[in-house]
Amino acid sequence: MHRVGLKQWGFKGNDNLKAAESGITIRGVVNDIKSNLNSSDSRPVIHLGNGDPSSFCGFRTTSIAEDAVEASLRSAKFNGYAPSVGLLPARNADFLFLFYKYRAVAEYLSKDLKDKITSNDVYLTIGSSQAIEVILSVLSCPKANILLPRPGYPMYEAHSAICHLEVRHFDLIPEKDWEVDLDQVENIADENTVAIVIINPGNPCGNVFTYQHSKKIAETARKLGILVIADEVYGHLAFGSNPFEPMGNFGSIAPVITVGSISKRWIVPGWRLGWLVTNDPQGILKKHGIIDSINGFMNISSNPTTLIQGALPQILLRTNDDFFSNIIDILREAANVSYHFIKNIPSITCHNKPEGSMFIMVKIDVSMLDDILDDMEFCTKLANEESVVILPGVAVGLKNWLRISLAIDPESLIEGLGRLKEFCMRHAKKK
Ligand SMILES: *Cc1c(COP(=O)(O)O)cnc(C)c1O
């Protein structure tokens, strides 16, 4: 048979996905920077670009987690498809051992919550990345817009673009410990605004919000009639004066969707186990169909691997405090060392010593540097000349800043900072 009229292939890729292929993801930008590394430099490359310390021996996960996965595998109970998350009544049936894991997440998070959550409030996802995808897809409807922090985590922008959710940015203020500019939030929101995204402890800023500020965010959300999406992937990775306060504690002020995972606190980002949790004692999400939509999405999407699901109760509930406090101590020390070291580099300023997550955000003054136009060129030349990889601020929404990862073995961090200083000195404008 002969088909007429088909002059060319009638398909093309989604333009929003093409954009996500390169420039606008952290991974894409880090890869760009890495492509400038000079292979004839005999020194080891120092990776301060992304936040995955799992390859450093000081950051190995706890043996509790490793043993739990082994036991999960050997039990032969987790070789099947994961049960459907849509079955709400079944998720209440705690005697059903397949559902232990939902209860485990509820129990783990409830330790820090005034309004306890149950397994019904928990959805297991493929890392918090999938939880982000779920909630943005659920909220995207014609004309809807979402408020995202600047600087922020570009996955939110990328997924918003894919599901045609309009993005409006509000600023985090460096001079105020990276607090949210709440006046601006009120100004940019309108009747089509659906949610505000808060990342606490902060990536990329390394800040931890005070109890008061988190409460004010919830109150602003209430005033605007929007929900709060609380990205708590770095939950509990706080080592400064502000203790970590889960946004879920303000769920009675405005409904909160919390996303989290074991990736960062347990340093196993490759295990791909996260969650989406609803903190909504007033039942507003249910009333507005959000819960039905989440269930619908989960029913047609894939689940995290069952081996890790099977291990989850042990991982969440049996890990001892020594493991956590050791990681916290390493990060606190790295934050101290970096902050004081960077203070002595004239062309770089750091407003705040990091108090959480795994990063330090610093500002470069390009006017003090010769032959460097912006942060992108800074990082490109730094990679080429010093074999140090750092993320340029543009990747997280702040031009002429740098995000430096603290999650690396201490010797390499010091070596990397030393090379950074050398680089800045060499490129300093002559008076
Ligand atoms: C790492 C990270 C994520 C994604 O982590 P998962 O491994 O998918 O759980 C989400 N949000 C922020 C702010 C992150 O830094």
Side-chain angles (χ1 to χ4, degrees):
M1 255 215 281
H2 182 66
R3 289 174 69 188
V4 288
L6 189 66
K7 294 216 176 60
Q8 60 187 50
W9 299 107
F11 49 76
K12 70 183 192 65
N14 178 327
D15 288 333
N16 291 322
L17 287 172
K18 281 179 216 154
E21 195 256 339
S22 60
I24 62 166
T25 64
I26 289 182
R27 208 176 299 173
V29 175
V30 168
N31 285 341
D32 281 354
I33 300 295
K34 279 186 188 164
S35 69
N36 294 287
L37 287 167
N38 176 1
S39 55
S40 56
D41 187 345
S42 58
R43 297 172 299 175
V45 177
I46 311 259
H47 294 280
L48 304 174
N50 35 18
D52 179 0
S54 56
S55 58
F56 304 112
C57 57
F59 288 92
R60 182 160 172 179
T61 195
T62 165
S63 56
I64 303 276
E66 294 175 351
D67 293 345
V69 175
E70 188 188 345
S72 170
L73 169 68
R74 298 232 179 260
S75 74
K77 286 174 183 156
F78 298 100
N79 294 335
Y81 281 117
S84 165
V85 257
L87 302 170
L88 281 169
R91 279 199 286 153
N92 265 332
D94 282 339
F95 56 88
L96 254 179
F97 120 112
L98 277 174
F99 296 98
Y100 269 0
K101 53 196 189 265
Y102 296 99
R103 203 181 56 181
V105 175
E107 203 178 313
Y108 167 67
L109 295 176
S110 286
K111 281 187 214 159
D112 305 300
L113 293 173
K114 290 190 295 257
D115 294 309
K116 308 295 177 204
I117 53 169
T118 71
S119 36
N120 281 335
D121 303 311
V122 176
Y123 303 81
L124 291 187
T125 55
I126 306 171
S128 34
S129 304
Q130 194 194 24
I132 293 169
E133 186 188 345
V134 173
I135 189 58
L136 296 187
S137 305
V138 161
L139 293 174
S140 64
C141 50
K143 289 196 191 155
N145 68 70
I146 187 164
L147 312 182
L148 301 184
R150 179 175 49 209
Y153 187 64
M155 187 176 285
Y156 287 94
E157 277 82 355
H159 274 298
S160 298
I162 291 165
C163 50
H164 305 286
L165 197 51
E166 182 196 327
V167 167
R168 298 186 182 177
H169 286 110
F170 59 87
D171 293 313
L172 305 179
I173 310 167
E175 294 80 10
K176 283 188 168 179
D177 286 338
W178 299 105
E179 285 192 346
V180 174
D181 185 339
L182 288 170
D183 293 332
Q184 189 190 16
V185 166
E186 290 197 32
N187 286 332
I188 61 174
D190 64 14
E191 70 276 10
N192 293 316
T193 304
V194 288
I196 179 171
V197 171
I198 299 297
I199 304 170
N200 183 47
N203 176 12
C205 303
N207 62 314
V208 178
F209 290 140
T210 61
Y211 176 94
Q212 281 310 327
H213 188 63
S214 295
K215 189 168 174 214
K216 273 194 198 144
I217 293 169
E219 284 163 353
T220 305
R222 182 191 184 89
K223 196 166 159 189
L224 299 170
I226 62 178
L227 65 90
V228 180
I229 299 172
D231 183 326
E232 295 179 357
V233 170
Y234 294 96
H236 295 282
L237 289 177
F239 38 83
S241 49
N242 298 340
F244 164 63
E245 180 72 30
M247 200 71 202
N249 272 334
F250 306 104
S252 56
I253 300 176
V256 175
I257 301 263
T258 302
V259 307
S261 73
I262 59 172
S263 295
K264 311 287 164 70
R265 196 178 187 203
W266 274 267
I267 318 182
V268 288
W271 290 10
R272 309 310 305 131
L273 197 295
W275 49 80
L276 182 155
V277 166
T278 56
N279 304 94
D280 180 28
Q282 299 193 70
I284 294 168
L285 296 173
K286 176 124 191 95
K287 199 164 144 207
H288 290 265
I290 301 292
I291 302 293
D292 289 341
S293 298
I294 295 174
N295 281 318
F297 192 104
M298 298 309 297
N299 274 343
I300 57 170
S301 67
S302 192
N303 306 116
T305 180
T306 48
L307 287 183
I308 311 295
Q309 291 196 35
L312 194 60
Q314 296 287 322
I315 296 173
L316 291 182
L317 305 173
R318 300 269 176 274
T319 299
N320 51 43
D321 287 339
D322 291 352
F323 169 72
F324 296 135
S325 51
N326 179 42
I327 299 291
I328 290 286
D329 289 345
I330 297 174
L331 292 172
R332 184 190 294 112
E333 181 62 17
N336 268 331
V337 166
S338 313
Y339 180 71
H340 292 295
F341 194 97
I342 287 166
K343 272 194 147 179
N344 292 320
I345 307 179
S347 45
I348 302 186
T349 46
C350 179
H351 291 83
N352 310 287
K353 185 156 79 174
E355 304 213 320
S357 87
M358 301 178 167
F359 306 100
I360 181 167
M361 260 314 256
V362 300
K363 191 176 184 176
I364 45 178
D365 184 351
V366 284
S367 72
M368 294 176 72
L369 299 167
D370 251 339
D371 60 24
I372 288 174
L373 218 60
D374 58 19
D375 54 341
M376 198 66 197
E377 191 171 16
F378 184 100
C379 293
T380 304
K381 289 188 167 163
L382 179 71
N384 184 261
E385 296 171 25
E386 297 289 346
S387 299
V388 174
V389 180
I390 288 181
L391 188 75
V394 278
V396 291
L398 268 198
K399 196 178 153 82
N400 292 343
W401 288 69
L402 307 171
R403 189 196 73 170
I404 301 172
S405 173
L406 305 170
I408 175 174
D409 67 279
E411 299 76 42
S412 302
L413 179 63
I414 295 191
E415 168 76 21
L417 292 171
R419 292 189 207 170
L420 173 68
K421 185 171 182 182
E422 281 291 302
F423 177 84
C424 291
M425 295 306 188
R426 194 166 60 245
H427 288 269
K429 266 198 182 127
K430 312 283 174 292
K431 298 247 167 61

